[in-house]
Amino acid sequence: MKIHEFQAKEILRQAGVAVPRSIVAKTPEEASAAYTELGGSIAVVKAQIHAGGRGKGTVKDNADQRGVQLVKSAEEAAAVAKGLLGKELVTIQTGPEGKVVNQVLVEEGCDIKRELYLGIVLDRAAKLPVLMMSSEGGTEIEEVAAHTPEKIFKEHFNPALGPQSFQIRKLCKKLDISGPAARSAEKFIKGLCKVYVETDCALAEINPLVITGDGGMIALDCKMTFDENAMFRHKDIAELRDLSEEEPAEVRAGNTGLSYVKLDGNIGCLVNGAGLAMSTMDIIKLHGGEPANFLDVGGGANVDQVTEAFSILLDDKNVKAVLVNIFGGIMRCTTIANALLEAYKKLDFNVPLVVRLEGTEVEQGRQLLADSGIDIIIADGLTDAAKKVVATVA
C-alpha cells in the first residue's frame, strides 16, 4: 500500500524524525495562504501523486510546469499550484498517461549543504531489513545501482534491535559524514529504522536526505509503502490509502477478493493460483501475445467472483480475447465450468473465449462446456491454449 509524501512525513514527524514544515493545499488560494503561513523567503510547491520522478516530471500540454518547483512569493505559489492542480503530471514512473494532481504540498525552504540517499527495504535472501545509503542524493537509486553501484553502501540490521551505533559510524565514514552531521545521523537513522519496523513498511526511502548548514539531517522527500497483509495492525495507516491514485479495476477486484493487476496487453487472463497465473502470462508472451492482466481468482472462487472477474476483464477496452486457465485441485473443474457458464449468460461476452481445464473432474467439466452450446474454444494443455488465444487476436 502506497501513501503520499505529506502523509509519510507526518508519520516521521510524529516519530521524532526531522522533516521540513509543510502544508497541504488543494486550491491555488490555499497554496498562497500556506506560503504566507510558513513565513520564509522561499518555499517549494510539490505535486502529490503516487509516483517518483516528480521533479523532472512535466504537466501534459505544458512542458514548462514541473512537478516540483521553487517559489519566492505567495502569488508565485498560487500560480504554480494552479498549473498543477487538476492537471496530469507525467513522470518516468507514471507512463505517458500521467497522473492527475489533486493536491500539492507547500514546504518551507531548506539550507542545503549536501544531499544523500537513504533507503530501507527487506533483503529476502538475508531475511533481514537492509539500510542503504549513497552520496548520490536526488538521483533515482536504480540509476546509481546500474551505473555506479560502488557508491551504494549497505548495512543489514536486526529488526528487534535496530541498526547499531557502530554500523551508522561505518556508513558515515564511507560517506565522509563527520562532526554534528554524524551525530544527527545517529538519531535520524535509528528513528527511521524504528518507524520502518513498527509500521510494517515494505519500503522507506528518503531521497534526498539533506545535511543542512548547521549539520542537521532532514528528510527533504519521503516515500513509504506498506505490507498490505499487515494493515489490520495499523488501522490509522490503512485510512491513509488514496483510492483515487489506484487503478479502479484493481480496487474493484480487491473488494471482491480477487488478485488483479492491470497490464498493457490485449489478452485477458482468468486463472486460479498466483504461480499458474504467472506461468500463463509467460507462455502467452512466449507465443507472441501480450497479457492484459494478472488475475488470480483463488482456489475457492464462487459464481459471483467468477462473474465479477469476467466483468472486470471485459470492461477493459484493450481486451480482445480471454484465456481461462484452471487447475482443479481444491476447486473442481465442474464447479468452475458451471460458474463460467453462469457468468457468460449474465455478461455481454463479445470477445473470443479460450478455456483450458485440468485436474479434478476435468472430463465432466469439459463436457459441460461442450454441451452448453456456447461458442467456447476448448484447449488441450497450456501450450495449446496459449497458441489458440494468441491466434484469435493476431
Side-chain angles (χ1 to χ4, degrees), residues 199-271:
T199 61
D200 288 297
C201 267
L203 165 72
E205 184 178 69
I206 312 297
N207 189 24
L209 169 65
V210 165
I211 297 177
T212 61
D214 61 3
M217 197 167 271
I218 190 167
L220 207 59
D221 191 8
C222 182
K223 178 180 180 180
M224 296 177 76
T225 63
F226 301 88
D227 181 354
E228 292 181 1
N229 296 314
M231 286 300 98
F232 71 93
R233 288 198 290 258
H234 308 285
K235 302 297 185 183
D236 55 335
I237 295 176
E239 291 175 357
L240 301 179
R241 185 180 180 190
D242 186 350
L243 297 181
S244 69
E245 288 285 327
E246 300 182 27
E247 169 61 45
E250 294 179 10
V251 175
R252 179 179 166 190
N255 292 336
T256 318
L258 305 171
S259 297
Y260 173 89
V261 178
K262 180 175 169 55
L263 302 173
D264 297 329
N266 59 4
I267 297 175
C269 305
L270 190 154
V271 190

Side-chain angles (χ1 to χ4, degrees), residues 23-320:
I23 300 171
V24 177
K26 296 186 178 181
T27 66
E29 293 75 21
E30 289 180 4
S32 175
Y35 179 94
T36 302
E37 184 175 338
L38 291 172
S41 59
I42 63 171
V44 181
V45 179
K46 312 170 83 173
Q48 297 296 287
I49 59 172
H50 285 178
R54 292 169 296 156
K56 296 179 181 178
T58 58
V59 168
K60 274 187 178 181
D61 305 321
N62 183 8
D64 293 330
Q65 179 61 68
R66 299 284 180 175
V68 177
Q69 196 161 321
L70 188 71
V71 295
K72 297 182 179 180
S73 69
E75 294 76 18
E76 197 175 349
V80 172
K82 184 177 180 180
L84 289 170
L85 291 167
K87 308 295 194 306
E88 294 173 331
L89 181 66
V90 179
T91 79
I92 193 172
Q93 292 187 10
T94 64
E97 66 277 7
K99 279 184 173 289
V100 176
V101 180
N102 295 314
Q103 52 203 338
V104 297
L105 185 66
V106 184
E107 190 167 80
E108 67 180 350
C110 182
D111 177 19
I112 301 174
K113 181 181 178 181
R114 190 178 174 196
E115 293 186 358
L116 304 168
Y117 170 90
L118 170 59
I120 310 170
V121 294
L122 178 64
D123 183 340
R124 296 185 182 276
K127 300 180 182 179
L128 288 171
V130 57
L131 176 66
M132 301 181 293
M133 293 191 73
S134 173
S135 59
E136 303 302 298
T139 304
E140 285 83 1
I141 195 63
E142 294 85 0
E143 291 185 17
V144 181
H147 303 296
T148 53
E150 70 279 2
K151 293 185 178 181
I152 300 176
F153 306 107
K154 302 177 182 180
E155 286 290 332
H156 293 83
F157 63 91
N158 186 320
L161 301 175
Q164 300 301 292
S165 295
F166 78 90
Q167 293 178 293
I168 297 173
R169 288 195 296 270
K170 280 172 61 179
L171 289 170
C172 286
K173 184 175 181 181
K174 291 176 180 178
L175 291 165
D176 195 25
I177 301 171
S178 60
R183 292 190 289 273
S184 296
E186 175 96 2
K187 179 181 178 182
F188 188 99
I189 293 173
K190 286 187 175 182
L192 181 64
C193 290
K194 188 170 187 288
V195 169
Y196 175 88
V197 172
E198 291 183 352
T199 61
D200 288 297
C201 267
L203 165 72
E205 184 178 69
I206 312 297
N207 189 24
L209 169 65
V210 165
I211 297 177
T212 61
D214 61 3
M217 197 167 271
I218 190 167
L220 207 59
D221 191 8
C222 182
K223 178 180 180 180
M224 296 177 76
T225 63
F226 301 88
D227 181 354
E228 292 181 1
N229 296 314
M231 286 300 98
F232 71 93
R233 288 198 290 258
H234 308 285
K235 302 297 185 183
D236 55 335
I237 295 176
E239 291 175 357
L240 301 179
R241 185 180 180 190
D242 186 350
L243 297 181
S244 69
E245 288 285 327
E246 300 182 27
E247 169 61 45
E250 294 179 10
V251 175
R252 179 179 166 190
N255 292 336
T256 318
L258 305 171
S259 297
Y260 173 89
V261 178
K262 180 175 169 55
L263 302 173
D264 297 329
N266 59 4
I267 297 175
C269 305
L270 190 154
V271 190
N272 67 326
L276 187 58
M278 296 296 288
S279 299
T280 301
M281 293 191 296
D282 285 345
I283 200 164
I284 287 173
K285 289 187 71 69
L286 178 66
H287 291 285
E290 290 294 335
N293 65 275
F294 167 101
L295 197 160
D296 174 16
V297 298
N302 54 38
V303 172
D304 290 338
Q305 286 177 307
V306 172
T307 301
E308 181 67 359
F310 274 126
S311 179
I312 291 170
L313 295 182
L314 297 175
D315 283 348
D316 183 349
K317 302 305 180 185
N318 292 327
V319 169
K320 305 303 180 186

